[in-house]
Amino acid sequence: MFSLKQISSVTLTLFAIIDILGSIPIIIQIRQREGRINSEVATLVAGLIMVVFLFLGQSILALFSVDLASFALAGSLIIFFIALEMVLGVQIFRHNPTTGGTGSIVPLAFPLIVGAGTMTTLLSLRALYSLPNVLVGIVANLVFVYLVLKSSHWIERKLGKAGEDILRRVFGVILLAIAIKLFKQNF
């Protein structure tokens, strides 16, 4: 039932796709805009989305007659605009002060932590590995995501303003490249 090899493969695959370390500049930007990040809510919502999509993903997409490539293409456009914000220092996604802290859910839990790439990967992992091993891999990643979100203020202090700006622009360019790669693969 449980296989350390499968759990390791699932965990490492999801870790690479989620790329929470590469998302640190965006997390800091969201925290600055919102005032704080609710790490617990973001982690729980991300986990809920992953588990629901693991079980119902193909059915949900089929219900709306959306193929996996179209879903990934839509995700690539969202990633593209987030990357533009990072590189150009412009604000595309408007913050609505009346929504009060929804940045922990959108765009943090979805689509940053659990985006089209994570969702498509989950469907692939379910086909390759046993369900309990995939679930353990999801939980392992959520623990790491939670720790990074919880320490975002500390990370920001250690980076300083100059380090944060450099990191934001570098990872913005990388995020642009990922968005373009997703776009090319699914167009």
Side-chain angles (χ1 to χ4, degrees), residues 6-142:
Q6 284 190 15
I7 292 171
S8 298
S9 294
V10 169
T11 302
L12 291 174
T13 301
L14 285 175
F15 182 78
I17 295 295
I18 293 171
D19 190 25
I20 194 67
L21 295 177
S23 300
I24 288 175
I26 302 169
I27 294 167
I28 291 171
Q29 182 179 357
I30 292 169
R31 194 184 58 66
Q32 289 171 344
R33 185 178 68 216
E34 297 281 327
R36 72 182 203 95
I37 288 179
N38 191 332
S39 308
E40 294 81 12
V41 169
T43 305
L44 286 173
V45 169
L48 182 67
I49 293 170
M50 282 195 264
V51 170
V52 166
F53 204 80
L54 180 66
F55 288 101
L56 302 173
Q58 289 189 326
S59 300
I60 292 170
L61 292 178
L63 178 68
F64 294 104
S65 299
V66 175
D67 61 294
L68 217 47
S70 298
F71 187 74
L73 190 61
S76 75
L77 291 175
I78 292 170
I79 293 170
F80 180 80
F81 289 120
I82 290 171
L84 281 180
E85 278 188 338
M86 293 172 67
V87 173
L88 302 176
V90 297
Q91 186 178 10
I92 297 170
F93 295 102
R94 299 282 176 213
H95 170 63
N96 184 352
T98 61
T99 57
T102 58
S104 294
I105 298 172
V106 176
L108 191 53
F110 179 80
L112 194 61
I113 297 169
V114 184
T118 304
M119 291 175 163
T120 2
T121 302
L122 284 170
L123 294 178
S124 301
L125 291 173
R126 177 144 191 215
L128 292 173
Y129 302 111
S130 71
L131 193 57
N133 294 323
V134 176
L135 289 169
V136 171
I138 289 171
V139 170
N141 273 279
L142 289 173

